[in-house]
Amino acid sequence: MSTKSEFRRLGLGRVAVNECLAIAKELDLDYAVLYASEDGQKLYQSMGFKISQMLYEYSFSCIN
């Protein structure tokens, strides 16, 4: 998910993630996983997410 710059820092991401976590809890899931950009790391860590691994991606579309 991403947020347009004019709508950042309004708590919208926190609301969306909390809703997803509430649904996951209702479904009796054991854990949730997300891949965060650097911009989102502070939010997710403040919500209780812990860094468990690094993910690297390679895109062939970046080759000219």
Side-chain angles (χ1 to χ4, degrees), residues 5-30:
S5 59
E6 62 265 29
F7 296 105
R8 292 183 186 146
R9 312 283 310 155
L10 298 175
L12 301 174
R14 184 176 298 276
V15 169
V17 173
N18 276 332
E19 186 62 26
C20 291
L21 292 174
I23 292 168
K25 189 172 183 177
E26 286 176 11
L27 294 172
D28 204 28
L29 300 179
D30 293 327

Side-chain angles (χ1 to χ4, degrees), residues 21-57:
L21 292 174
I23 292 168
K25 189 172 183 177
E26 286 176 11
L27 294 172
D28 204 28
L29 300 179
D30 293 327
Y31 59 92
V33 176
L34 62 80
Y35 299 105
S37 67
E38 287 185 31
D39 292 338
Q41 283 183 352
K42 286 184 183 180
L43 167 65
Y44 302 128
Q45 287 177 345
S46 75
M47 297 180 73
F49 284 87
K50 305 291 183 213
I51 297 174
S52 64
Q53 60 183 309
M54 298 295 291
L55 174 71
Y56 292 88
E57 291 183 7

